[in-house]
């Protein structure tokens, strides 16, 4: 009997340890040199999407969560880095954010972010902001603090890049691809010009069954390439989606005022199942290659976000390709060409309007462009980062 009790106790302890395995541990395994961050949506689960937001816990400057004032890059920084006409463009455009679960404080937190940085108010009352569930109603799913942080990040990045845009938040009832895909369909039906998806999951033989959710000609669908380094994920792998990689963005004394390298956590690679779109011409992958384009994602060069659901002070700093996807969706909105652009095709014919990122790597792939940045197209950063809206 004592032996049975002992075995039961060991099994119980092991189960507890697995359930208690923190998101910091997951990120630390993937990025062993960076132990001060955590992925806000926890451990990856088969057949469920994981959001790609990484929250900074502390850095060498002593930045901590729940600060009383913002750290990280602000709207003026991002607009400067990517040479964007944010003050004059975007009117009449709607950027949709698709995420799982509810953020009860989404609108009030958004108001604080926009007010602090001098951006015009975006509220339900003035018609700029709208929040719905995955079928377009107002019976919202259960709240989740991790996904609430993702939602705040996404809303703030749209605000930073396209303050004149309307914002539609569509909350799926879970992180299943069926529910998230339904939310994408709803975003389109409610008039979104561009839709950002800051989540993903590992490729599988059944992934094509969800592809139709992300196929909406006349609308731009962006998706994060992932935060686990070299390797493909969906929905970024779908050939009807603009796959968004990630960079490290730093201020510089050069003529641009900024420099970028490939972020070592950005996802990239060759899809195992999805066919190559006609506009993608790289020769090292016979199927769909990730990514198409990129923007800042490194938590070491993170962005300022305001979120109070589950947080006390509100001001946080985030990285991950959850930053870059809404940035790129919002650049498309600034350009206003979604109705006439075929997925990522315009990027490939307008490379002169992108900043080419030529250094950095996100993993081991024999030194090929699939995981190593270089002149022209590469996996981690695609064709580069926005230099105005000419490529969009």
């Amino acid at each position: 009997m004592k032996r049975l009790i002992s075995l039961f106790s060991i099994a119980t302890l092991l189960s507890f340890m697995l359930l208690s395995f923190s998101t910091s541990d997951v990120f630390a395994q993937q990025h062993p040199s960076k132990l001060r961050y955590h992925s806000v949506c926890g451990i990856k689960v088969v057949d469920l999407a994981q959001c790609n937001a990484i929250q900074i816990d502390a850095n060498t400057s002593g930045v901590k969560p729940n600060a009383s004032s913002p750290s990280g890059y602000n709207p003026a920084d991002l607009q400067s880095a990517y040479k964007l006409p944010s003050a004059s463009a975007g009117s009449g455009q709607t950027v949709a954010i698709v995420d799982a679960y509810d953020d009860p404080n989404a609108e009030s937190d958004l108001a604080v972010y926009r007010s602090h940085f001098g951006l015009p108010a975006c509220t339900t009352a003035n018609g700029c902001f709208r929040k719905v569930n995955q079928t377009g109603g107002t019976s919202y799913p259960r709240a989740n603090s991790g996904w609430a942080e993702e939602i705040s990040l996404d809303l703030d990045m749209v605000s930073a890049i396209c303050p004149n845009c309307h914002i539609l938040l569509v909350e799926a009832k879970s992180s299943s691809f069926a529910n998230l895909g339904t939310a994408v369909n709803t975003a389109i039906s409610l008039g979104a010009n561009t839709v950002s998806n800051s989540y993903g999951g590992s490729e599988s033989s059944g992934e094509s069954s969800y592809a139709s959710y992300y196929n909406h000609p006349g609308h731009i669908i962006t998706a994060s390439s992932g935060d686990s380094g070299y390797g493909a994920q969906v929905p970024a792998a779908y050939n009807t989606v603009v796959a968004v990689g990630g960079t490290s963005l730093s201020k510089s004394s050069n003529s641009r005022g900024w420099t970028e390298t490939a972020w070592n956590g950005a996802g990239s690679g060759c899809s195992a199942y999805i066919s190559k779109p006609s506009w993608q011409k790289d020769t090292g992958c016979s199927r769909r290659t990730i990514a198409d384009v990129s923007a800042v994602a490194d938590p070491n060069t993170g962005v300022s976000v305001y979120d109070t659901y589950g947080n006390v002070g509100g001001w946080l700093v985030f990285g991950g390709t959850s930053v870059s996807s809404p940035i790129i969706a919002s650049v498309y909105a600034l350009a206003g060409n979604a109705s006439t652009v075929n997925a990522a095709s315009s990027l490939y014919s307008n490379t002169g309007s992108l900043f080419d990122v030529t250094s950095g790597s996100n993993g081991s792939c024999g030194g090929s462009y699939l995981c190593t940045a270089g002149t022209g197209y590469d996996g981690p950063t695609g064709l580069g980062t926005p230099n105005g809206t000419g490529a969009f």
Side-chain angles (χ1 to χ4, degrees):
M1 178 62 71
K2 287 182 178 180
R3 178 177 174 81
L4 287 174
I5 292 173
S6 178
L7 289 172
F8 176 79
S9 299
I10 292 171
T12 302
L13 178 60
L14 288 171
S15 298
F16 177 78
M17 290 171 66
L18 287 171
L19 290 171
S20 302
F21 192 59
S22 73
T23 55
S24 293
D25 294 330
V26 174
F27 190 75
Q29 280 194 346
Q30 296 168 350
H31 307 277
S33 64
K34 298 175 179 174
L35 304 177
R36 307 181 192 87
Y37 316 102
H38 68 275
S39 176
V40 302
C41 288
I43 300 170
K44 290 183 178 180
V45 178
V46 176
D47 295 329
L48 295 178
Q50 181 188 41
C51 78
N52 288 305
I54 299 170
Q55 182 187 329
I56 190 169
D57 297 318
N59 67 10
T60 55
S61 300
V63 174
K64 296 182 183 298
N66 303 321
S68 59
S69 60
S71 300
Y73 290 139
N74 60 39
D77 292 323
L78 298 173
Q79 293 168 22
S80 167
Y82 298 124
K83 313 304 179 190
L84 300 174
S86 301
S88 58
S91 295
Q93 296 285 303
T94 297
V95 179
I97 295 299
V98 169
D99 282 312
Y101 305 108
D102 181 38
D103 177 1
N105 300 350
E107 184 170 1
S108 59
D109 285 348
L110 177 65
V112 173
Y113 180 90
R114 294 178 72 107
S115 175
H116 183 89
F117 291 115
L119 305 176
C122 187
T123 66
T124 302
N126 68 14
C128 174
F129 177 74
R130 183 179 182 185
K131 182 172 88 168
V132 298
N133 64 23
Q134 69 181 48
T135 57
T138 55
S139 178
Y140 304 120
R142 67 179 178 86
N144 178 285
S145 60
W147 280 89
E149 290 181 339
E150 173 65 62
I151 289 170
S152 292
L153 165 59
D154 291 341
L155 297 180
D156 290 354
M157 289 306 96
V158 177
S159 299
I161 301 302
C162 191
N164 295 322
C165 286
H166 286 193
I167 304 176
L168 171 64
L169 170 61
V170 187
E171 298 179 332
K173 65 181 179 181
S174 79
S175 60
S176 74
F177 283 103
N179 286 328
L180 288 163
T182 298
V184 173
N185 286 348
T186 293
I188 298 298
S189 70
L190 293 179
N193 304 100
T194 69
V195 183
S196 175
N197 303 275
S198 290
Y199 56 83
S202 300
E203 282 203 293
S204 68
S205 58
E207 68 191 44
S208 294
S209 62
Y210 300 111
S212 63
Y213 290 119
Y214 301 90
N215 183 12
H216 293 281
H219 307 266
I220 291 293
I221 315 294
T222 67
S224 301
S225 69
D227 296 344
S228 299
Y230 178 58
Q233 71 169 28
V234 288
Y238 295 134
N239 54 25
T240 56
V241 163
V242 179
V244 186
T247 68
S248 301
L249 175 70
S250 301
K251 292 183 178 180
S252 172
S253 59
N254 63 17
S255 59
R256 176 187 172 188
W258 301 84
T259 59
E260 286 179 281
T261 60
W263 175 46
N264 63 8
S268 72
C270 183
S271 173
Y273 305 102
I274 306 301
S275 62
K276 184 177 288 297
S278 60
W279 31 262
Q280 198 169 50
K281 304 296 185 182
D282 60 300
T283 59
C285 171
S286 62
R287 296 186 179 89
R288 170 69 159 125
T289 314
I290 301 168
D292 298 308
V293 68
S294 54
V296 60
D298 186 350
N300 282 300
T301 64
V303 298
S304 181
V305 171
Y306 190 81
D307 177 83
T308 60
Y309 187 71
N311 295 298
V312 178
W315 288 108
L316 306 169
V317 178
F318 278 93
T321 51
S322 280
V323 177
S324 54
S325 179
I327 286 177
I328 295 300
S330 301
V331 175
Y332 273 103
L334 289 175
N337 298 321
S339 64
T340 60
V341 172
N342 177 19
S345 60
S346 68
L347 302 172
Y348 290 80
S349 55
N350 293 284
T351 57
S353 294
L354 296 166
F355 291 116
D356 193 9
V357 181
T358 60
S359 63
S361 175
N362 66 353
S364 177
C365 60
S368 87
Y369 72 93
L370 292 174
C371 71
T372 307
T375 302
Y377 179 82
D378 59 71
T381 69
L383 295 161
T385 60
N387 180 4
T389 61
F392 300 84

